[in-house]
Amino acid sequence: TNNGGRKVAIVIDESGSMESSDPYDLRIQAGRSVNDWLISSKEAGGGKQADLVTVIGFDDVTRLLYPLGDPAGADKVFSQITTRGGTYIAGGVDDAMTEITKSGHDPTSNRSAIVVLTDGADSSTTTLVKSINKASQQGIRVSFGFLTGLYSSFSYQDQNVLAAILGTGGMYATIDGATAQNAFVNLMIVHGLTGNDNSNSISSTTIYNGLSVAFPLDTSGTNTLTYTAEANEKLTFSITSVAAGELTVTAKDPGGKELGKSTVSAYSSLPVDLKVTASTAGPLQLKV
């Protein structure tokens, strides 16, 4: 659904490392795509409310590129994104909360979102976790698109940061090319930018080709993920345990037939590949 009434902050990394991690400005394209999807004041009506958006850049410090306002006016500021200093993600999240919660645009809870597009770890993981948790307490959903180019120093965020992001109801995915960038934006929208969007979405358990997504285990220590396969499609699932202990991963076809099985170590950050061939078309299940 896209009925509007949201307050959305797009927070974009301007650190110097983006020159090598994101030479094609995928994070900027992703930010523009989110903004384009939002409802401007001119598009409102017929049961749709106008959205509000703010755009924030960060390196060692933050820059308010576009105060909370009509999405129609925000597109031009994406061309002002630069690459220079360090990585202070928490500052971007904090400034996003300041804009989203400023007076005159209530309420905030379940109709607000922060989308962070970055390639690095914050200079203070503890500070970042506190900032994300504060957003969660205010009903603000936080999602991260993590750029993993050829020269990236990290393959994913710290486990505590991941837990904090998923705790807001947001999603975390890595972006390693244009296909993944488009998939990230689409999946995030289907998942729901805010708590009020797509409450019945199944995207929280859906795997998409070319996109690496963080999924939480439920309280029983299990999760069942789904990939829509073509008949005879050859697939490689790469699985990493991030503070989840040893994992047993089994792929099954739509009829329940086992296609393959792997064990993922709790002590290695390297992914384990599970290679299978889909026997029929339909929802292939990955049971973790």
Side-chain angles (χ1 to χ4, degrees), residues 26 46 89-90 135 146 151 166 179 203 224 240 249 262:
L26 296 177
I89 306 172
F146 191 67
Y151 302 105
L166 298 176
T179 299
S203 65
T224 299
T240 304
V249 185
S262 285

Side-chain angles (χ1 to χ4, degrees), residues 9-192:
I10 302 171
V11 181
I12 299 183
D13 195 334
E14 295 188 289
S15 62
S17 61
M18 299 309 306
E19 288 188 1
S20 56
S21 295
D22 188 25
Y24 302 109
D25 292 335
L26 296 177
R27 71 199 189 287
I28 298 175
Q29 294 173 37
R32 274 200 166 105
S33 295
V34 173
N35 183 65
D36 288 345
W37 186 78
L38 299 177
I39 298 171
S40 68
S41 58
K42 288 185 178 180
E43 295 169 331
K48 294 185 177 182
Q49 295 178 284
D51 289 315
L52 295 170
V53 71
T54 179
V55 182
I56 295 162
F58 69 88
D59 48 35
D60 295 300
V61 296
T62 59
R63 292 200 300 155
L64 178 59
L65 299 171
Y66 189 77
L68 194 68
D70 193 334
D75 185 71
K76 60 189 178 188
V77 306
F78 289 97
S79 61
Q80 299 174 22
I81 301 294
T82 62
T83 53
R84 37 192 179 186
T87 307
Y88 182 38
I89 306 172
V93 174
D94 289 341
D95 282 10
M97 280 189 284
T98 298
E99 282 296 301
I100 286 174
T101 59
K102 65 184 183 182
S103 62
H105 299 292
D106 295 331
T108 294
S109 183
N110 291 323
R111 60 182 291 261
S112 305
I114 298 172
V115 179
V116 179
L117 298 155
T118 182
D119 75 330
D122 198 288
S123 50
S124 172
T125 297
T126 301
T127 302
L128 178 56
V129 169
K130 287 181 179 178
S131 295
I132 296 171
N133 287 339
K134 184 178 178 181
S136 182
Q137 291 163 8
Q138 298 180 74
I140 302 171
R141 182 170 282 188
V142 181
S143 295
F144 268 51
F146 191 67
L147 281 295
T148 57
L150 182 62
Y151 302 105
S152 296
S153 301
F154 307 94
S155 57
Y156 51 80
Q157 286 282 342
D158 179 89
Q159 66 188 56
N160 296 310
V161 175
L162 289 177
I165 292 167
L166 298 176
T168 71
M171 64 169 290
Y172 177 91
T174 61
I175 300 171
D176 60 5
T179 299
Q181 177 259 309
N182 289 327
F184 165 70
V185 173
N186 291 335
L187 182 59
M188 182 172 56
I189 287 171
V190 172
H191 175 72

Side-chain angles (χ1 to χ4, degrees), residues 209-232:
N209 188 24
L211 194 65
S212 297
V213 183
F215 297 101
L217 295 176
D218 66 23
T219 54
S220 68
T222 63
N223 200 336
T224 299
L225 310 175
T226 303
Y227 174 79
T228 302
E230 298 177 9
N232 301 314

